[in-house]
Each structure stands twice: as structure tokens, then as C-alpha cells.
Amino acid sequence: MLHPSITLGPAQRDTRVPKTVQEQCGHFLLCLLAGSQPGCHSGPGCSEGDKHLTPSSLLRIGQLSNVDLNEDIHELETELPRQRPNEIPHNEKLLSLKYESLDYDSSENQLFLEEERRINHAAFRTVEIKRWVICAMIGILTGLVACFIDIVVENLAGLKYRVVKDNIDKFTAKGGLSFSLLLWATLNASVVMVGSVIVAFIEPVAAGSGIPQIKCYLNGVKIPHVVRLKTLVIKVCGVILSVVGGLAVGKEGPMIHSGSVIAAGISQGRSTSLKRDFKIFEYFRRDTEKRDFVSAGAAAGVSAAFGAPVGGVLFSLEEGASFWNQFLTWRIFFASMISTFTLNSVLSVYHGNAWDLSSPGLINFGRFDSEKMGYTIQEIPIFIFMGVVGGILGALFNALNYWLTMFRIRYIHRPCLQVLEAMLVAAVTATVGFVMIYCSRDCQPIQGSSVAYPLQLFCADGEYNSMATAFFNTPEKSVVNLFHDPPGSYNPMTLGMFTLMYFFLACWTYGLTVSAGVFIPSLLIGAAWGRLFGISLSYLTKGSIWADPGKYALMGAAAQLGGIVRMTLSLTVIMMEATGNVTYGFPIMLVLMTAKIVGDYFVEGLYDMHIQLQSVPFLHWEAPVTSHSLTAREVMSTPVTCLRRIERVGTVVDILSDTSSNHNGFPVVESNPGTTQVAGLRGLILRSQLIVLLKHKVFVERTNLNLVQRRLKLKDFRDAYPRFPPIQSIHVSQDERECMIDLSEFMNPSPYTVPQEASLPRVFKLFRALGLRHLVVVDNRNEVVGMVTRKDLARYRLGKEGLEELSLAQT
């Protein structure tokens, strides 16, 4: 019998398992046959664990605490045939071992307590003022980045559309429109190629909207490079090129990621990419503080994108932050307001009315006049029905995108193939748009129209092609047109065909290796079918005044976006703020709630689905509802590597260098050197702390144990944060290996522990609410018997057939 983490199912026969896991399983089975029991990994200072072998202890062999992330992966020796060599084995029921957790729980060791005691009231006020200054800087820089994206997209996209329009106008008269199609497709593909190349080859984590990655980061998962300056530069350039390249994407989603990167960089006062340390804000160099500022950055990004500061705060609360408090709410709201104010100020200057600070965010839904577009009580059931439609369409969108993403993971995993796919989608999008415009005979009078680039094509003089309003424009402008164009501006056939084609184009586009958001395409799809719904209603009711198509376009947009991303509270407020009309709050809320309930019945939301497909150990708000039968004893990782309070340096180096172990937290137990008698748990020390101690040579010779060790300060640990050097880079001589190191001053003397009989929901609630990385499991003598980590809890989830356990693997 093997642990589920190395059980090979038919869908993952080519899954590679670390050799160490095989060796450990074999070693354990030999021990089992010999009648022995598993002990602690390091032996001298760790409790023996369970004295009795049970099926659950057998199942725990090969769990994450014994898997090396850096070792060369060896192929599992098996007679099962290999799958196609160009396929990466992947299964949604896998949990990746490559993701580490963040240390959101502060280590209250002696150094920390001494520093906190030294901080007087004035120093505390200074720290608090610095927090507000950082939040203001986050808002200002996020607003400036949003302005830069908006202005560059407006100019580059305008240039492209003018060139293509002039070409189409020229060739409409004398024939040869195929050249215009070729020009449009070539321009799109070329621009998107550049945007995809910089993402695929320079910083792959900049792909997509970045919202799933930021959700994971705020949940406590360390996603490599997710908040680095290089990621921000690639993200901003990539989203500009994606929108200009004509893809079915929006520039609003990536603003959330951009704001988060800005927040992470400013709060630390240094940049790894630039190799610069400005020696400011050193106090905030720890995961807990960084997390709070990243929450503010995400909110500032939403605020800049939609001109919705309250919506930004609620988005950060609903979708992002796992941990929240009152003071944090006020600071985040301040950052959001500053972000919106900065955007308004700069754009008002850019547009020539310098003192007008009422400009909205990147996307302006326009003013919805309550008098002209009010709603009545009999429309409530209609809105609920639209929510049902949005939930079903959203579920269909997510299901199609799920299978498409699985296909990409398996077959299109090389950067060159990813770039080619992005170019193909760009060319196909241009071709579909051109063919739809060419085949459409929906001509509308040009007088009083707000169309930026009216294409006449085969329409009479003074008229323009209505299909071009939707396709021959940036998605943001198309959304506003669908909201506010007067009744009769669109033929129902035009809207129906556009909805169908854009639905599949947007579904194909999300997940490409480009920086792009899904907010605006979702709104555009929903606005199109919502307007079509409104036109149908006006036909049925003989043109009643309440059946305004613009109002139903707004409800359709809310329903579609809610059905795809499953946001409720924050999206309601964002839509209200973006429309500037609180009257629509209730129907928008009804539509979003209905869309979420209906959509959740079929599949998960798009962001949660992509987190799951990346095999990230994401912890939801609550443990699976049917998990009370499981205890800490059954879910914990074992054996655990323990250290003595006074430990030999060579032992510490060997444990940290051990390629068969990937421990990042070590319980410290009381044990006298030279004896094997073990007392109970005394504390917990992190791998990163041990690295810093070894780097600074904080140890004494065995014969001089009474000497005082070299004094370290918390500053020494903060200087090494967040990229602590690997143990291989620290040289320890043979003489130094015989020295002793006292961990008392540096360990956390009060780590959180649970008894081994605690139920999984209780363990989950404690772990999740406190933002822990390690939770020590002890017996009734306070001896260490196991360790609960994020992956131990994330393995269990509620599936269609009840509680299921995910497999652990390298992905």
C-alpha cells in the first residue's frame, strides 16, 4: 500500500515522483516487516511519534515533509506504458509540492519582544504615520500606472483603427478588400506577438489578469516572482499590447495585479530586480506587513480601473485578503481614494480641463438617468430571469475554458507554441470581426452617433455599419456604446451574431500567454445579449417606455460577469459606482446573486478554477463540511525533524542540507547533549532563521558553553528577507561543525499546537484564521508527534461524491 500522493492513476501514469519518496516507502516497509516503528527524522531530539502502527500511519509515508523540491526528479520505475511524449500529465485532483507558504504568523522570540518593549509611544506613532505614507504612495503610483496604460492604449489603438479604416474606405470603392483583411490581421498578430513574447520568455507569471495569483498570495501561498518589479513592467507593457492587438481582453483586470506589485515594492523600500536597497521602511520587512499593503494595492488597482474606491475595498475584502481588521479597512480605503483622485487629476489635465476632477476610472459606464431608465416592481422577475441566463452562460464559459486550459497545459506548454497560439487568436479575432462587418447589412444614420471610427463599407452616404461599432473598437468603448446608444441603433441579428462570436473568442482568449483581463469581455458579452433581451421585450410589449435596451444591457453585463467570476458584494458596488446611480443597486444585487447561485450549481468561478488547475494549495474559508470524522493524527505530516534547544552546528547544517527533507519549520525540544531522553516541546524555529544564524556564525565552542553568543538584532533577519540564501552558499568549517548553537533566543517559545485528537474542522479553523504556516501536533505529554502544514489541509476537499483526498505531486 502506498500513500495517495504516489498512487498512479490512469490519467497520470507519467507523473514523476522524487526518488526519496520511493526510498522512504521501501525503507518503511522493511521496518514494518522487521516489527519496528517510524521514529523522528533527525533522531536525537524528536519524539518517537506513534508507538503503534496503524493503517493511517502507513498512509502517511511519502507526504510533503519528506519530498525535496530541488532534487533532480527521477522517473518512477514502472512497466506502465508512457503517454505521448509531448503531453504533460495533469489532473485537477493533484496538489503541487512546488508551492511554499508565507509566514503570516509573527515569531514572538526574545529579539521580537525586546524590540517591541523598546518602542515607545512616539516611535509607535512614527510607524503608524509611515503606514499611511506608504498607502498614499501606493494610491498615487497605481493611479499613474493606470493613466499611462489608458493614454498609451488610446493613442496606439486609435492609430491602428485609423490606418485600417482608411484602407477599408479606399478599397471599398475599387475592390480588393482582402488586402484590408490581411492588413488588419497582420497588425493584430504582430502587436500581440510582441506582447506574448515578453510574457512567455521573460516573465510567465505576468500572463492573464493576475487576480488568481494575488488571491493565492493573500491566502498565504508564495507564488514565485508574483510581486516583483520585472513582473510589473511586463504586465503593463503586455496589457497595452494585448488591447491594442485587438484581442477580446480588457485592461482593467491586470490593474489589480499592478497595484499589488507596486504595494509590495514600496512597502519594502527596495527592489531585487534593480538590486537597490533604499534603507527605508525596514520595519515592514516581514510577510505579515507586506500582505496588508498588497491588499491595499489590489484595492487601489480596482479603484483606478473602475473609479470605484468603495468597490476596491470590498473587492480586496471579498476576493483577496484572507485576514482583515478595522484599521486595515481605513488605510485601504485611503489608498483607493488617492488612486482614483490621482487618475482623475492626470486624465483631466490630459483631456484639457485641468480643474475638472470628476473624470471616472479607466472605464466610464456613463451616467444612467433614473428618470429615463427607471425600473418598476414588475421588472424584478425579469431581472432574476436574466441572472439565471447569466449564471448558465457563465458556467458554460467556465466549463469551455476549463477544457481549453487543460489542453494548453498538456500540449501548448513550450513558450514558442504559446506565442504562436496568441498570434493565431489575434489573427482569427481580426478575421472574424472583418467577416462579420462585411456580411452585415445593418446600416444606421451617422448623425448624432458617438461612434469613434464609423465604417461606411457598403452602406449609403451618411450611414455607418452598426456591426463595426462592436468589433471595430476597443472593448471598453463598445461596452459604453451598448449601454447608451439610443433604441434602434442595433439590429437584433447583429447583436445575436456578435454575442455568439465574441463569447467563443473571449473564452479562447482567456488563458493565453498574454497580460489580459476578463472583466471587460464579460461585460461586453452580457451587454450585447442584455440589449438583445431589451429589444425583444420592447417588441413584445409594443414599445413600452420601461423596456429601454440600455438598462437591460447593464443588467445583462452584470449577469454575465457575475456568472463567470462569481463576485457579489464588491461587483454590486463597483457597478453602482461606475454607473453613478445607486438606484440600480437592488436589481444589480439580485442579478449577481442569482447568477452566482445558478453558476455554482454547475461549476466553480473562473478564478477558483484556474487556481485549482495550477494545483495551488489554496485554503477556502471553511473546512469541507463532511470532514469531522478526520483528526489531526490522520492529516498531519510525519515523521517530523526536531532540534534540541542547544544543538550541534553540524547537526543543523546536515538537517538543512538533507535533500530527502523539505522542512521549513523545526520544533525545538528540550534534551541534554549526550542523552536520548526527550522532554516536551519548547518552541519552533524556521529554516530562514537558522540560515541567518549560520550565516552570522552565531555559535560557540563546545568547551565554552557559558560564553555569550554573538548578539543579533531583528534587523539582521530583515536584511536577508525575503530571499534568504540557500544553505549551500554558507561555508561551515569542520571545526565549526563541532560548535554548539543555542536556539533559545531565536525560536518562537509559544508556537500554536493542537492535540492529535482534534478534528479536521477545528484544526482548519485555527490554521486558517491565524494565517499559520506550521501547526505542531502533540500528545498528552506535550511531545511532538506530527506537523500540520498548508498542504495537509488543502489535500481534503468536498467533491461530487463526498470528501476526497488529492494526490501530492511535482507539477
Side-chain angles (χ1 to χ4, degrees):
M1 184 188 296
L2 293 177
H3 185 267
S5 65
I6 55 173
T7 301
L8 296 182
Q12 68 229 54
R13 289 173 183 162
D14 195 32
T15 301
R16 299 184 177 192
V17 179
K19 185 178 179 182
T20 52
V21 176
Q22 301 167 41
E23 292 172 349
Q24 288 156 6
C25 290
H27 173 71
F28 180 81
L29 292 174
L30 288 174
C31 292
L32 179 63
L33 292 173
S36 62
Q37 75 275 349
C40 288
H41 197 263
S42 62
C46 188
S47 87
E48 290 181 343
D50 187 15
K51 299 277 185 191
H52 305 285
L53 284 172
T54 63
S56 64
S57 64
L58 181 63
L59 284 173
R60 287 197 296 269
I61 296 307
Q63 281 194 0
L64 65 154
S65 60
N66 292 319
V67 178
D68 173 36
L69 299 189
N70 301 314
E71 186 185 359
D72 293 331
I73 308 296
H74 296 281
E75 231 180 76
L76 185 65
E77 294 178 6
T78 175
E79 295 180 0
L80 293 172
R82 281 177 60 92
Q83 290 183 335
R84 296 183 183 88
N86 62 337
E87 177 176 338
I88 293 181
H90 192 86
N91 191 303
E92 72 275 15
K93 294 186 179 180
L94 288 180
L95 206 60
S96 177
L97 287 164
K98 71 181 180 181
Y99 294 107
E100 291 299 330
S101 295
L102 295 160
D103 294 299
Y104 283 164
D105 179 41
S106 297
S107 177
E108 293 188 349
N109 54 21
Q110 289 183 29
L111 297 182
F112 177 84
L113 295 176
E114 286 172 11
E115 182 183 82
E116 290 297 309
R117 290 190 193 106
R118 283 198 304 270
I119 294 181
N120 54 26
H121 184 68
F124 174 77
R125 293 296 296 269
T126 304
V127 169
E128 196 61 23
I129 289 170
K130 284 182 179 178
R131 284 197 177 98
W132 286 94
V133 169
I134 291 171
C135 286
M137 293 172 67
I138 289 168
I140 291 169
L141 285 177
T142 305
L144 290 175
V145 167
C147 292
F148 175 76
I149 292 174
D150 187 53
I151 292 169
V152 174
V153 165
E154 185 181 331
N155 285 284
L156 289 181
L159 177 64
K160 184 191 84 170
Y161 286 125
R162 280 194 298 273
V163 168
V164 176
K165 179 183 182 304
D166 292 344
N167 191 273
I168 290 175
D169 290 344
K170 181 174 127 184
F171 283 102
T172 302
K174 62 180 185 179
L177 276 173
S178 55
F179 181 79
S180 301
L181 168 60
L182 189 63
L183 174 68
W184 192 2
T186 304
L187 282 174
N188 275 17
S190 303
V191 173
V192 169
M193 181 188 74
V194 178
S196 184
V197 163
I198 61 175
V199 171
F201 289 95
I202 300 177
E203 198 55 88
V205 79
S209 65
I211 295 175
Q213 290 91 329
I214 294 302
K215 278 187 70 170
C216 292
Y217 180 89
L218 293 173
N219 191 258
V221 183
K222 185 185 290 183
I223 307 290
H225 300 177
V226 73
V227 288
R228 290 182 65 173
L229 178 63
K230 186 167 72 170
T231 305
L232 174 65
V233 174
I234 300 301
K235 194 86 182 180
V236 170
C237 297
V239 73
I240 289 171
L241 293 166
S242 299
V243 176
V244 172
L247 291 175
V249 299
K251 57 180 184 281
E252 282 66 27
M255 277 308 306
I256 295 159
H257 191 178
S258 301
S260 301
V261 180
I262 290 167
I266 291 174
S267 65
Q268 303 305 292
R270 66 178 173 193
S271 168
T272 309
S273 302
L274 297 177
K275 297 182 172 57
R276 296 292 301 275
D277 189 344
F278 299 101
K279 300 295 182 185
I280 56 173
F281 307 137
E282 286 183 323
Y283 180 80
F284 305 117
R285 289 180 185 174
R286 59 179 187 264
D287 286 338
T288 317
E289 296 283 355
K290 194 172 178 180
R291 172 198 69 205
D292 291 346
F293 289 120
V294 169
S295 299
V302 175
S303 180
F306 296 98
V310 179
V313 175
L314 293 175
F315 173 86
S316 197
L317 170 62
E318 183 181 12
E319 285 293 307
S322 303
F323 315 99
W324 204 262
N325 61 52
Q326 246 180 331
F327 297 111
L328 184 61
T329 308
W330 187 227
R331 286 201 303 271
I332 289 179
F333 182 61
F334 176 70
S336 297
M337 276 294 189
I338 294 290
S339 175
T340 304
F341 177 78
T342 303
L343 184 82
N344 291 345
S345 304
V346 175
L347 288 184
S348 63
V349 172
Y350 174 72
H351 292 303
N353 44 352
W355 301 108
D356 179 15
L357 299 181
S358 58
S359 299
L362 291 187
I363 179 165
N364 173 18
F365 288 167
R367 301 290 298 181
F368 281 80
D369 193 343
S370 300
E371 294 180 7
K372 294 180 182 176
M373 300 172 67
Y375 68 95
T376 57
I377 191 72
Q378 60 262 36
E379 288 181 88
I380 298 295
I382 299 174
F383 294 148
I384 293 174
F385 175 74
M386 292 182 76
V388 172
V389 174
I392 293 171
L393 289 177
L396 176 62
F397 184 99
N398 292 359
L400 291 174
N401 191 260
Y402 172 85
W403 294 112
L404 184 60
T405 306
M406 287 289 287
F407 178 83
R408 282 176 175 141
I409 290 171
R410 289 178 173 171
Y411 299 106
I412 313 178
H413 50 269
R414 292 188 180 88
C416 51
L417 293 176
Q418 292 168 341
V419 173
L420 286 174
E421 188 198 12
M423 292 173 65
L424 174 65
V425 174
V428 168
T429 303
T431 305
V432 168
F434 185 88
V435 171
M436 296 277 286
I437 294 169
Y438 182 84
C439 296
S440 173
R441 292 295 178 267
D442 184 9
C443 297
Q444 301 293 337
I446 207 166
Q447 286 83 9
S449 170
S450 59
V451 183
Y453 311 103
L455 280 180
Q456 183 179 356
L457 217 58
F458 301 115
C459 293
D461 290 340
E463 293 185 339
Y464 70 95
N465 189 305
S466 182
M467 183 68 84
T469 315
F471 267 114
F472 200 68
N473 220 333
T474 57
E476 289 85 356
K477 297 230 173 65
S478 300
V479 170
V480 177
N481 289 337
L482 286 168
F483 283 167
H484 294 289
D485 281 353
S489 299
Y490 299 90
N491 190 307
M493 181 62 72
T494 299
L495 290 173
M497 291 300 296
F498 173 78
T499 302
L500 183 67
M501 299 309 298
Y502 208 81
F503 182 90
F504 290 108
L505 285 174
C507 187
W508 189 13
T509 304
Y510 190 78
L512 288 177
T513 311
V514 293
S515 297
V518 75
F519 267 79
I520 300 303
S522 305
L523 290 172
L524 184 52
I525 295 164
W529 68 255
R531 192 175 180 95
L532 179 61
F533 190 84
I535 292 171
S536 305
L537 270 181
S538 65
Y539 281 156
L540 292 173
T541 57
K542 303 291 189 292
S544 293
I545 189 68
W546 54 265
D548 188 287
K551 174 174 57 181
Y552 289 97
L554 176 65
M555 296 304 158
Q560 186 66 51
L561 184 53
I564 290 174
V565 300
R566 309 290 159 75
M567 289 158 51
T568 50
L569 175 66
S570 55
L571 196 53
T572 303
V573 177
I574 287 170
M575 298 287 281
M576 281 167 50
E577 288 185 281
T579 55
N581 194 328
V582 77
T583 312
Y584 290 118
F586 181 68
I588 288 173
M589 183 194 73
L590 275 181
V591 164
L592 289 171
M593 282 178 58
T594 310
K596 177 176 170 55
I597 292 167
V598 173
D600 284 342
Y601 180 78
F602 296 104
V603 292
E604 288 183 295
L606 190 65
Y607 298 144
D608 291 330
M609 187 177 290
H610 277 262
I611 289 171
Q612 186 179 307
L613 281 171
Q614 294 300 316
S615 304
V616 177
F618 187 87
L619 295 181
H620 294 280
W621 289 105
E622 298 287 343
V625 290
T626 58
S627 59
H628 278 85
S629 59
L630 291 171
T631 63
R633 175 193 183 91
E634 292 169 289
V635 303
M636 66 187 184
S637 293
T638 186
V640 183
T641 303
C642 299
L643 295 171
R644 294 175 295 202
R645 189 176 58 79
I646 299 176
E647 187 62 271
R648 195 172 69 90
V649 171
T651 304
V652 175
V653 172
D654 290 342
I655 288 172
L656 295 180
S657 305
D658 186 5
T659 56
S660 66
S661 156
N662 190 49
H663 292 276
N664 286 289
F666 302 89
V668 179
V669 295
E670 188 65 72
S671 178
N672 297 319
T675 69
T676 57
Q677 186 178 1
V678 177
L681 176 70
R682 290 293 176 267
L684 182 78
I685 193 161
L686 302 175
R687 173 183 287 266
S688 57
Q689 293 173 312
L690 291 171
I691 292 282
V692 174
L693 297 183
L694 292 176
K695 180 182 176 184
H696 289 275
K697 311 288 184 187
V698 185
F699 37 75
V700 295
E701 294 179 17
R702 187 187 289 270
T703 55
N704 298 319
L705 287 179
N706 294 325
L707 292 177
V708 180
Q709 297 181 127
R710 178 186 170 187
R711 291 286 294 172
L712 284 185
K713 295 182 179 178
L714 277 183
K715 182 181 184 302
D716 296 305
F717 293 90
R718 288 170 182 156
D719 285 343
Y721 176 85
R723 290 172 186 84
F724 298 94
I727 184 63
Q728 291 79 9
S729 67
I730 297 173
H731 176 70
V732 178
S733 67
Q734 195 60 42
D735 291 337
E736 289 173 334
R737 288 179 62 88
E738 298 303 319
C739 292
M740 303 301 289
I741 184 169
D742 188 350
L743 305 177
S744 307
E745 190 179 4
F746 311 103
M747 69 182 186
N748 182 3
S750 54
Y752 292 101
T753 62
V754 288
Q756 54 187 345
E757 293 80 19
S759 68
L760 175 59
R762 182 169 287 272
V763 173
F764 190 99
K765 192 174 292 184
L766 181 66
F767 195 97
R768 178 73 167 75
L770 297 175
L772 302 182
R773 185 176 185 181
H774 304 98
L775 184 58
V776 184
V777 183
V778 294
D779 60 13
N780 53 9
R781 292 174 298 176
N782 198 36
E783 293 180 5
V784 180
V785 294
M787 182 91 82
V788 175
T789 65
R790 170 176 291 274
K791 298 183 183 78
D792 293 322
L793 297 175
R795 285 189 296 136
Y796 296 94
R797 76 173 187 199
L798 193 62
K800 292 181 179 177
E801 299 176 0
L803 191 68
E804 59 185 21
E805 184 177 357
L806 306 186
S807 303
L808 300 173
Q810 294 278 354
T811 59

